[in-house]
């Protein structure tokens, strides 16, 4: 077990170069256990690339990343997931040809530390998968093929498949992108529940209303760098943020 005061995640000088493009530029970023951090910033700022570096999907060009005190650069994404570092994606992932329930079972079998097995899923694991599906509000469509389910359900399913891996940290890339205002409210309630359970949450989101409603701390990225790291409320008063993110004339919400 890790020390109680240890950071959940600590990035030092994290850099990603794609040829001449520096997508993530010497980023220092630490997240305490139980914290909820919302990351914003314009298109192409490097937010998703930063998540890809943390979750091991893209090799880091430079810098160090520690998860619960352990260095993780070079660790395969599935190993990180099994160690409790789970994520969702900006675009819908999931197996279209499986049902909602089967997707959760697959994630449980392959993504969890104490994987029970895919062919013979123990009763307790099946019950746990069903419980997560019910908790997240997918019970009614648990046996539907994922190819046919609407966007909100697909977004929730990504969270469910991450949760079933029993994460310490959950990274969510634009969890409410493309959702309607009532659906966003539903997601806010869901994320507040996860927060209440003590999960460490880091998410990327353009929808400022969502970020303001759930984040303890806001981070803004621009051209691969962090240009703001502070309270969500402080965002609108920050000159740099106003200029690069909201637009120089902007004082209202974005997204
Ligand atoms: N595999 C890649 N090869 C080359 N360039 C890439 C690659 N992935 C991302 N980039 C570039 O890196 C920059 C950052 O992209 P990224 O997807 O991280 O931005 P983002 O902040 O998530 O944007 P958005 O809000 O649109 O999702 C962009 O200029 C993008 O074109
Ligand atoms: Mg992105």
């Amino acid at each position: 077990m890790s020390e109680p005061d240890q950071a959940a995640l600590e990035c030092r000088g994290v850099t990603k170069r794609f040829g001449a493009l520096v997508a993530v530029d010497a980023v220092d970023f630490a997240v305490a256990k139980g914290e909820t951090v919302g990351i914003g910033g314009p298109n192409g700022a490097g937010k998703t690339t930063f998540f890809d570096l943390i979750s091991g999907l893209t090799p880091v060009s430079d810098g160090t990343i520690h998860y619960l005190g352990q260095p993780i650069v070079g660790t395969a994404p599935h190993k990180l997931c099994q160690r409790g570092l789970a994520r969702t994606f900006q675009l819908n992932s999931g197996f279209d040809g499986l049902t909602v329930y089967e997707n959760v079972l697959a994630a449980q079998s392959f993504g969890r530390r104490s994987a029970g097995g895919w062919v013979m899923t123990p009763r307790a694991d099946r019950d746990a998968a069903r419980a997560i599906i019910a908790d997240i509000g997918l019970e009614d469509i648990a046996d539907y093929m994922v190819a046919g389910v609407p966007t909100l359900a697909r977004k929730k399913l990504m969270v469910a498949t991450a949760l079933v891996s029993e994460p310490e940290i959950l990274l969510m890339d634009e969890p409410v992108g493309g959702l309607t205002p009532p659906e966003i409210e539903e997601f806010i309630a869901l994320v507040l529940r996860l927060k209440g359970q003590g999960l460490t949450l880091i998410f990327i989101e353009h929808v400022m209303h969502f970020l303001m409603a759930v984040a303890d701390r806001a981070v803004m990225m621009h051209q691969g760098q962090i240009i703001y790291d502070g309270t969500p409320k402080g965002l609108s008063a920050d000159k740099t943020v106003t200029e690069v993110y909201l637009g120089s004339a902007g004082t209202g919400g974005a997204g």
Side-chain angles (χ1 to χ4, degrees):
M1 288 297 283
S2 46
E3 303 295 320
D5 58 348
Q6 193 177 60
L9 186 75
E10 192 155 15
C11 302
R12 290 277 164 250
V14 170
T15 300
K16 180 64 192 181
R17 293 182 209 96
F18 293 114
L21 175 77
V22 188
V24 177
D25 189 1
V27 166
D28 294 333
F29 176 66
V31 177
K33 282 184 190 169
E35 206 174 9
T36 298
V37 184
I39 303 177
N43 296 118
K47 306 179 297 295
T48 295
T49 304
F50 187 44
F51 268 21
D52 290 347
L53 298 175
I54 295 169
S55 58
L57 277 182
T58 298
V60 170
S61 305
D62 250 316
T64 60
I65 305 175
H66 285 77
Y67 163 63
L68 299 175
Q70 301 293 315
I72 57 164
V73 165
T75 308
H78 69 283
K79 297 274 184 205
L80 290 175
C81 181
Q82 287 164 0
R83 282 166 59 181
L85 207 169
R87 71 170 286 182
T88 70
F89 292 86
Q90 186 166 349
L91 300 176
N92 287 324
S93 64
F95 300 110
D96 280 0
L98 297 180
T99 67
V100 167
Y101 172 59
E102 288 165 345
N103 266 269
V104 175
L105 279 189
Q108 186 184 49
S109 297
F110 295 104
R112 209 181 40 164
R113 280 160 273 194
S114 54
W118 171 234
V119 179
M120 292 285 287
T121 309
R123 175 68 185 264
D125 287 355
R126 281 181 276 142
D127 289 348
R130 289 276 181 200
I132 282 175
I133 286 170
D135 192 50
I136 218 155
L138 291 172
E139 207 166 17
D140 292 348
I141 58 163
D143 298 317
Y144 286 27
M145 282 298 182
V146 163
V149 307
T151 308
L152 174 64
R154 294 200 68 131
K155 293 273 196 191
K156 284 182 172 181
L157 176 59
M158 276 199 285
V159 176
T161 53
L163 289 178
V164 82
S165 72
E166 299 170 355
E168 302 268 349
I169 298 185
L170 175 57
L171 307 173
M172 295 185 286
D173 194 347
E174 301 199 23
V176 301
L179 299 185
T180 64
E183 290 171 343
I184 291 170
E185 293 308 318
E186 204 177 322
F187 236 92
I188 288 172
L190 164 65
V191 172
L192 289 176
R193 272 211 322 276
L194 297 178
K195 250 183 101 155
Q197 293 163 14
L199 194 60
T200 305
L201 293 163
I202 310 170
F203 66 88
I204 295 167
E205 193 49 74
H206 288 285
V207 178
M208 281 296 121
H209 169 62
F210 178 86
L211 192 150
M212 302 300 287
V214 302
D216 304 319
R217 181 176 143 209
V219 166
M220 283 290 144
M221 285 185 75
H222 179 53
Q223 296 178 346
Q225 297 181 340
I226 290 179
I227 57 159
Y228 178 91
D229 188 343
T231 63
K233 277 194 171 148
L235 272 174
S236 56
D238 188 89
K239 204 164 172 290
T240 316
V241 170
T242 315
E243 276 167 14
V244 307
Y245 189 62
L246 303 176
S248 52
T251 51

